Amino acid sequence: MTEVVERKATNVHWHDGEVTRGDRAAMLGHKGVTMWFTGLSGSGKSTVAVAVEKALTARGVLTYRLDGDNIRLGINSNLGFSAEDRQENIRRVGEISKLFADTGVVVLSSFISPYAEDRAMVRKVHEEGDLPFMEVFVDCSLEAAESRDPKGLYKKARAGEIRGFTGIDDPYEAPVNAELHLRTDEMTLEQEVDAVIKSLQERGIIV
Amino acid sequence: MTEVVERKATNVHWHDGEVTRGDRAAMLGHKGVTMWFTGLSGSGKSTVAVAVEKALTARGVLTYRLDGDNIRLGINSNLGFSAEDRQENIRRVGEISKLFADTGVVVLSSFISPYAEDRAMVRKVHEEGDLPFMEVFVDCSLEAAESRDPKGLYKKARAGEIRGFTGIDDPYEAPVNAELHLRTDEMTLEQEVDAVIKSLQERGIIV
């Protein structure tokens, strides 16, 4: 019985000193943030995210990318492409991004995320957790995205082999209050990366 | 058109140099790992995880805790306590843990996770991703856990107010191949923390 009492007292002591978000930021030398890259398929989201990841890593900033590759094949493998499942896909990614931002990671989440309501939900989740959230509109014309067509998806959508494809027979609701607007058909990749880094510095996320 | 061609070439260059798990580990000075704390309600999972988090942070190891508090209220807020939902709860946490381990974080996931099959699933997901996974059996007798009853749940379960409660009217399948076995009714918290740190060192996760 004495053991239990002593243990309890010890618990209280340890719990008092729980590690905080600020402790992790101090260790890492930067804060965590969710950078949410939204845009048409082929707009250049992954390209920018990969380049930003490299630039940040070179600066010693812990960065991680979330995208269809590691989400759709993993945690969201039980979701399809119905309207309901698409919303749940974005909701889960938003919640995971929040955990990463809380850890102190600069998380780069690249998802078409065509609906303003879904993106607003993700923003709200971060605001409620007092965590930085930056919406990055990766913008290029439908014509430019379709001419790139890196995965051959526009061709399939035009041929009617894919239905509900964003930009073809499903709308893309462009952000109106994005923290950053990258015009990938007008800017070079280097300019885009510089713009992202600068925006992180201005917000005090990184030095 | 020239722009597009140049851009494509640039993309290839950047993609060639994608940041790897090894790059992140080198930056952090340690590897990522999922430490999965399983045990009865009241066995001391959270207490150990909180203490380990503090000890690792003091050593400069980036650590994050996943538990009911930040999972059930966040990403898994749409899950209940049916058998199916419980399994999905563990599956999602396993996938999230994997992403954190891939980032280079020592992630401490504390969940009763009473079924061996579910824990095996989480282990498999990590093995397939070539990521370290350590099952930590936070073990104490049902009597000891029930006498602690930090959340008053055993009392409710005994009164029939909660059904399917692990240890009372639902089984806890004790791990048979856990990497670490902590007897919280025999060890002090300090001994438990030391055992965890030592096991991380022996596996080359931390220095």
Side-chain angles (χ1 to χ4, degrees):
Chain A
M1 197 58 196
T2 314
E3 276 298 300
V4 175
V5 172
E6 279 180 7
R7 190 181 163 81
K8 269 190 183 166
T10 312
N11 290 358
V12 174
H13 173 71
W14 282 91
H15 276 281
D16 278 345
E18 274 194 29
V19 175
T20 66
R21 188 183 293 169
D23 294 332
R24 290 187 292 268
M27 182 199 296
L28 290 167
H30 58 80
K31 294 180 186 172
V33 62
T34 294
M35 301 203 82
W36 190 271
F37 295 83
T38 171
L40 294 170
S41 176
S43 62
K45 297 182 297 299
S46 293
T47 303
V48 182
V50 166
V52 167
E53 180 187 36
K54 195 177 177 185
L56 287 174
T57 304
R59 289 168 175 265
V61 175
L62 185 63
T63 311
Y64 195 66
R65 280 188 296 121
L66 298 176
D67 55 28
D69 287 345
N70 55 14
I71 292 295
R72 278 278 180 191
L73 297 175
I75 189 164
N76 288 354
S77 60
N78 57 357
L79 294 177
F81 290 89
S82 68
E84 195 180 16
D85 278 8
R86 284 182 170 182
Q87 187 174 51
E88 173 66 3
N89 178 49
I90 296 304
R91 188 193 70 82
R92 289 189 198 168
V93 175
E95 294 283 0
I96 295 169
S97 300
K98 180 187 170 182
L99 294 172
F100 272 100
D102 186 33
T103 304
V105 178
V106 174
V107 58
L108 312 173
S109 302
S110 301
F111 296 86
I112 298 174
S113 49
Y115 306 123
E117 183 186 350
D118 295 350
R119 297 193 304 266
M121 172 183 61
V122 175
R123 180 186 291 274
K124 193 179 169 209
V125 159
H126 284 76
E127 285 175 351
E128 286 172 354
D130 198 22
L131 283 162
F133 176 81
M134 292 175 61
E135 195 171 352
V136 183
F137 181 17
V138 184
D139 184 17
C140 76
S141 67
L142 177 62
E143 292 69 30
E146 194 168 354
S147 72
R148 293 175 190 163
D149 204 10
K151 297 173 187 170
L153 295 174
Y154 284 101
K155 200 178 169 187
K156 286 185 181 174
R158 290 289 185 193
E161 292 167 34
I162 303 174
R163 287 183 188 177
F165 193 74
T166 301
I168 303 299
D169 57 345
D170 212 56
Y172 177 76
E173 299 172 1
V176 290
N177 57 349
E179 276 74 9
L180 207 57
H181 188 167
L182 304 177
R183 291 293 313 254
T184 63
D185 49 2
E186 293 177 3
M187 297 164 78
T188 65
L189 186 56
E190 200 176 347
Q191 287 172 332
E192 292 163 28
V193 172
D194 287 348
V196 170
I197 301 285
K198 195 178 162 199
S199 70
L200 288 172
Q201 290 170 328
E202 285 173 352
R203 281 169 180 76
I205 309 285
I206 65 171
V207 179
Chain B
M1 198 58 195
T2 312
E3 277 297 302
V4 174
V5 173
E6 282 181 4
R7 190 184 162 81
K8 270 189 185 168
T10 312
N11 290 358
V12 175
H13 173 72
W14 282 91
H15 276 281
D16 278 345
E18 275 194 27
V19 175
T20 66
R21 191 182 292 169
D23 293 332
R24 289 187 292 268
M27 182 198 296
L28 289 168
H30 58 81
K31 294 180 186 170
V33 61
T34 294
M35 301 202 83
W36 191 272
F37 294 83
T38 171
L40 294 171
S41 175
S43 62
K45 297 182 297 301
S46 293
T47 303
V48 182
V50 166
V52 167
E53 179 186 37
K54 194 177 177 186
L56 287 173
T57 304
R59 289 167 174 266
V61 175
L62 186 62
T63 311
Y64 195 66
R65 280 187 297 120
L66 297 177
D67 56 28
D69 287 344
N70 55 13
I71 291 294
R72 279 277 180 190
L73 297 175
I75 189 163
N76 288 355
S77 60
N78 57 358
L79 294 177
F81 290 88
S82 69
E84 195 180 17
D85 278 7
R86 283 182 171 183
Q87 187 173 52
E88 173 68 2
N89 178 49
I90 296 303
R91 189 193 69 81
R92 289 189 198 168
V93 175
E95 293 283 359
I96 295 169
S97 300
K98 181 186 171 183
L99 295 171
F100 271 99
D102 186 33
T103 304
V105 177
V106 174
V107 57
L108 312 174
S109 302
S110 301
F111 296 87
I112 297 173
S113 48
Y115 306 123
E117 185 187 348
D118 296 350
R119 296 193 306 265
M121 172 181 64
V122 175
R123 180 186 290 273
K124 193 179 169 209
V125 158
H126 283 76
E127 285 174 352
E128 286 173 354
D130 198 22
L131 284 163
F133 176 81
M134 292 174 62
E135 195 171 351
V136 184
F137 180 18
V138 184
D139 185 16
C140 77
S141 66
L142 178 61
E143 292 66 32
E146 192 168 353
S147 75
R148 293 175 191 163
D149 204 9
K151 298 173 187 169
L153 296 174
Y154 284 100
K155 199 177 170 189
K156 286 186 181 173
R158 290 287 185 195
E161 292 167 34
I162 303 175
R163 286 184 189 176
F165 193 75
T166 300
I168 304 298
D169 55 346
D170 212 57
Y172 177 77
E173 299 173 1
V176 290
N177 57 350
E179 277 73 9
L180 208 57
H181 187 165
L182 305 177
R183 291 292 314 252
T184 62
D185 47 3
E186 294 177 2
M187 298 165 77
T188 66
L189 186 57
E190 200 175 349
Q191 288 172 332
E192 292 164 28
V193 172
D194 287 348
V196 171
I197 301 284
K198 195 179 163 200
S199 70
L200 288 171
Q201 289 170 328
E202 284 172 352
R203 282 169 179 78
I205 310 285
I206 65 171
V207 180

